Amino acid sequence: MAPPIPRLGLISALHQEQAGLIDSMAQPQTVNRAMRDYVSGHLWGIDTVCVLSRIGKTAAAATAATLIERFGVTHIVFTGVAGSVDPGVGVGDIVIADALVQHDMNASPLFPRFEVPLLGQALFSSDRHLSDWLFEAAGRFVAEDVDKMVAEADRELFRLNRPQVHRGLIGSGDEFVHGPQRRGELRQAFPQLLAVEMEGAAVAQVCFEFGVPFAVIRTISDGADESAPGDFMRFIERVASRYSFGVVRRLCGLG
Ligand code: SAH
């Protein structure tokens, strides 16, 4: 059964992550606004607006606000990739955010470090129901679909071996984390941090301010270390794009 979502806003950061989803839309209609294409249509029965935010917190925040104000979405899901900062979270695993933090926010000493000024909080919780549905969809995807949807050669190349689905804290910043020092600093600042990316916590803040339920799901593409830039684009094309497609299809109630 598909969850009761009157109008879903589905944001991705990279083109490859969104390919396939738009192809699966019934009667897609595109509206260009502020340098982005908002594609509306039915995705496996759910009224959905797909959009590429592009990369970074400002891009993601502007996109989320436009989805809400102009396209009237009632829920937002962000699908994308992230770097792992937790040794228990490997490439090919999935992380669903319980909460998000802007790890580069620092207005101290005026406000506590990481707190978003005037909101009085650093952590933004995702919507419990939507995240539960995503967790279930992701679990079914890794159990039943991943071997069919990702080629064996790519599963071997990226050592995808029984991917796991985790839930926890995701950190976002305008920074591609790719070295042991920065990774270590982040782990020290947030011992419970599972993954880092560049958009989720910005969407979280906008959704909090508008009172719109949201969830963030990320496929781990790298270990936020020296090798992070390596096979990044190949991973996005061959693996992460299949994950986004497969999990959203499960979320919408197929299979
Ligand atoms: N090489 C890409 C740029 C990718 S930027 C290009 O040329 O288009 C990284 C994207 O993946 C961002 O959208 C971010 O959310 C996510 N991401 C993956 N690994 C990350 C990491 N280690 N640190 C920060 N963001 C990461």
Side-chain angles (χ1 to χ4, degrees), residues 104 111 231:
D104 56 355
F111 297 90
D231 276 327

Side-chain angles (χ1 to χ4, degrees), residues 13 55 81-83 175-177 197-199 218 221-222 224 232:
I55 296 165
V81 293
E175 169 187 7
F176 185 77
V177 179
E197 36 87 314
M198 301 176 68
E199 299 85 14
R218 295 279 183 172
S221 54
D222 57 82
F232 188 80

Side-chain angles (χ1 to χ4, degrees), residues 94 96 133-145 165 247:
I94 291 176
I96 292 167
W133 285 319
L134 264 182
F135 184 71
E136 204 182 307
R140 295 189 67 179
F141 169 77
V142 297
E144 295 171 43
D145 305 335
V165 186
V247 173

